[in-house]
Amino acid sequence: MKIDPERFLSDLHKLREFGASGIGKGVIRPAYSDADIAARKWLAEQMKDAGLRVHFDPVGNLFGLADGPSILLGSHTDSQPEGGWLDGALGVIAGLEVARAAKEAGGPSVSVVSFQDEEGRFGVLTGSAVWGGKIDLQTADALTDDTGLTFADARARMADLSSGFVDPEQFTGYIEMHIEQGPSLDSSNTQIGVVSDIVGIRDMRITFNGQQNHAGTTPMHLRRDAFQALSAFNAEINDRFANVVTPHTVWTIGHAVLHPNASSIVPGRATFSMQWRDGDADRLDRMEKIIRTAADEIADRTGLTVEFGDLLGLEPETMNDNLRGALEAGAEDVAPGNWGVLPSGALHDATNVARLMPVAMLFVPSINGISHAFDEDTDEADLSAGLKVLARAVSRISA
Amino acid sequence: MKIDPERFLSDLHKLREFGASGIGKGVIRPAYSDADIAARKWLAEQMKDAGLRVHFDPVGNLFGLADGPSILLGSHTDSQPEGGWLDGALGVIAGLEVARAAKEAGGPSVSVVSFQDEEGRFGVLTGSAVWGGKIDLQTADALTDDTGLTFADARARMADLSSGFVDPEQFTGYIEMHIEQGPSLDSSNTQIGVVSDIVGIRDMRITFNGQQNHAGTTPMHLRRDAFQALSAFNAEINDRFANVVTPHTVWTIGHAVLHPNASSIVPGRATFSMQWRDGDADRLDRMEKIIRTAADEIADRTGLTVEFGDLLGLEPETMNDNLRGALEAGAEDVAPGNWGVLPSGALHDATNVARLMPVAMLFVPSINGISHAFDEDTDEADLSAGLKVLARAVSRISA
């Protein structure tokens, strides 16, 4: 097949006119907004023009279906409330170009998808979660956005377009191309990233309970200061993790609230989020043990108590070897010596699709690692390189 | 003179009926509330009965004046919104009992004061601040409480009672008895504390500015995490202070806010309060240098920037040697070997009165260090011991 990078870039720029923010190349195209629905209708036209059969499912996932067994390419075209022009759009338009070129060449058989509400206006990766069977439609229908709108009412806006759910048995696999949304490729001047796995996430609320006291009359040695416990805990886990983590492991204390949070009062309580991500479920478990042990020890040592909230988790998803191998071979063809393997620290629709079929992912660099912002961008040479890798991988798989 | 501890305790319990919270011995008697004004009117009656000349000044400070040059004893009878029965009330009622006993004994000449709004409904130690000349009346009148009520309107509630300001020249010195409001005496089973100085306070808002980032896609080594900077800063100053501080020095990070404060986002900003207190102004300055240097170094090392807010400060106030010596001698008489010298970590009216005359302070234990709460309490044997120390000190000074 012969892909056309100019046509691909032209479509990408056309798509960003739907919900254009007027600031840089940014878009405002949340799931089920007028801009999102208009973009999907435009995309359906392009799919039809490419010779694909257009199919909206009950939640607004848009498929461009090829005949017979096919490889499925795509991502999502909804955006964050203040989003970038690439994010999921890139994978959908790259998929469209490969499917179109394949159709023009008389094969292989390539289908395209734009999942709905990947950005989680209602749930988490909602459209692919329903299709993949992670949550049922009834449960999803009760989800609400920040304004109280239900998912049921939101998807009703597209009811005139929709048919039933697409049978996943017709797909041999799913490949999602995406911007990295992080700085690894950009900072190392690497053009292509082949994803090894989508990391698992653990997230837990932790609270240290000490003794609220007067900050003037309470000597240091009699304090049970919850902020000091938090700070000591942070130092302790940073130290103990060193023996367990890889350069791809991440952990974050992103949320913290002191009580009563006044400059003249020794904090009696510190509640904070502890989140950690890694591609290896065993490593996630080992980190959890360190977290619990360190928190317990610090509480004991300083006369505080510690409470652990529910452990929320998503399991790591390893990419399929065959699909990943095809992407690696394609990357070596297109960008010899200038590609790498890395985990995805962010969630993607591929996590849900993996419940149905083999999946793999391909990254191109995000300039300065910026994403979910109007100034998200990628060099057009890198976008085209990613497209070529995707096309070569599809050819190789279908050969 | 012959003091009467029973009469003193009876008066203390009578006073707590004004604004009684109904929870333990707690009181709700904020400055200028009906309960506060009623309590002051009752107190004025006791002063009159004790042979003192009652005088309310324009801000509601209540004096019971003895003839000729006199020593001034007292504190305040207003309370926190949820206050304890002792706090300032103790020093006022102890002063009343000593003045009454002195009057009965035909000398020495002892006056009593209950300052208004020590608890800072409007400003900081407002009544004594105006009398001591720390702020002028016009400035004070513009202060407002949490509901927007001005100090001018609040003090107008007592206008029918008030005369001019009392001439401080008639007083030879001021002694304030108070509960410690901290755990030092209680935890060391020490009955009496003689105050060496009222500590100075420094308070500064500090902000670390890093880079807000995706907590999944941003590798640890590329993060500029503002919470991590705060935690490192805290550890660093704890370490460096060790060479500078005394067991009485205190420092507190009581307020901290992360931005955007979300579990999946690397914090881009951390703003926090840094407060430190000590009786030695030089030490406060040395600590400030450590704070600024440590924050700058951590910001440099981790690629963040740091902003320092205005440095707010109150200077330490050393107690007068003669008055303090009299208290120490009295303490050794009443509680031989069971008293100690300690700084006051909390502010008191004595800080403002020190602008006008020599001052000293005397502490009795707070059970479990609790204050500014309904369950604030002190053993009655300790209250009586404090009263005796105060009476002996007054006798010694006047001898």
Side-chain angles (χ1 to χ4, degrees), chain A residues 82-340:
Chain A
E82 297 191 356
W85 72 300
L86 297 170
D87 202 319
L90 172 62
V92 175
I93 299 298
L96 172 67
E97 176 55 25
V98 174
R100 189 160 45 196
K103 199 79 180 176
E104 288 165 354
S109 191
V110 179
S111 296
V112 186
V113 64
S114 168
F115 289 110
Q116 184 54 294
D117 196 27
E118 194 270 351
E119 298 292 5
R121 176 174 173 183
F122 295 91
V124 178
L125 319 175
T126 321
S128 60
V130 173
W131 188 53
K134 187 172 166 67
I135 57 171
D136 61 35
L137 190 55
Q138 196 182 342
T139 306
D141 274 346
L143 296 170
T144 55
D145 73 358
D146 286 344
T147 70
L149 179 72
T150 63
F151 185 72
D153 286 342
R155 71 185 181 89
R157 293 180 181 173
M158 297 181 68
D160 58 320
L161 300 169
S162 79
S163 311
F165 285 105
V166 166
D167 180 1
E169 293 294 324
Q170 67 195 289
F171 305 118
T172 55
Y174 172 71
I175 305 181
E176 183 168 355
M177 174 173 164
H178 208 283
I179 53 170
E180 185 201 344
Q181 300 184 281
S184 294
L185 296 175
D186 187 56
S187 65
S188 63
N189 286 311
T190 305
Q191 194 168 38
I192 299 291
V194 176
V195 174
S196 54
D197 33 44
I198 301 174
V199 302
I201 303 184
R202 299 284 185 273
D203 204 317
M204 186 162 56
R205 187 62 51 102
I206 304 178
T207 300
F208 283 113
N209 293 297
Q211 176 66 51
Q212 178 179 329
N213 259 318
H214 191 299
T217 60
T218 315
M220 301 308 284
H221 73 283
L222 292 176
R223 293 184 177 198
R224 292 184 290 141
D225 182 327
F227 170 74
Q228 292 298 323
L230 164 57
S231 180
F233 167 78
N234 178 61
E236 191 69 33
I237 59 166
N238 285 347
D239 192 41
R240 296 192 193 182
F241 281 170
N243 300 320
V244 173
V245 299
T246 77
H248 293 302
T249 314
V250 294
W251 62 96
T252 307
I253 294 174
H255 171 90
V257 173
L258 307 184
H259 179 85
N261 211 25
S263 61
S264 285
I265 303 182
V266 177
R269 188 168 73 238
T271 296
F272 60 99
S273 63
M274 180 74 235
Q275 186 187 91
W276 61 111
R277 305 189 187 209
D278 194 81
D280 177 346
D282 283 346
R283 184 171 293 112
L284 291 172
D285 291 344
R286 290 202 298 279
M287 293 174 77
E288 182 189 344
K289 283 199 186 70
I290 289 174
I291 287 163
R292 290 183 185 271
T293 305
D296 280 334
E297 287 178 8
I298 282 160
D300 282 352
R301 188 198 307 158
T302 54
L304 285 79
T305 61
V306 62
E307 289 169 41
F308 300 102
D310 291 338
L311 181 70
L312 307 177
L314 286 164
E315 294 310 305
E317 196 62 60
T318 302
M319 299 296 97
N320 174 266
D321 279 343
N322 287 340
L323 298 183
R324 174 180 159 180
L327 287 169
E328 290 179 357
E332 183 59 24
D333 287 346
V334 174
N338 195 21
W339 61 278

Side-chain angles (χ1 to χ4, degrees), chain B residues 99 133 140 177 199 218 231 289 299 326:
Chain B
M177 175 172 163
V199 301
T218 314
S231 180
K289 283 198 186 70

Side-chain angles (χ1 to χ4, degrees), chain A residues 37-49:
Chain A
I37 294 171
R40 284 173 193 271
K41 286 180 177 171
W42 170 83
L43 180 61
E45 285 301 309
Q46 311 315 305
M47 289 170 166
K48 194 174 155 201
D49 291 350

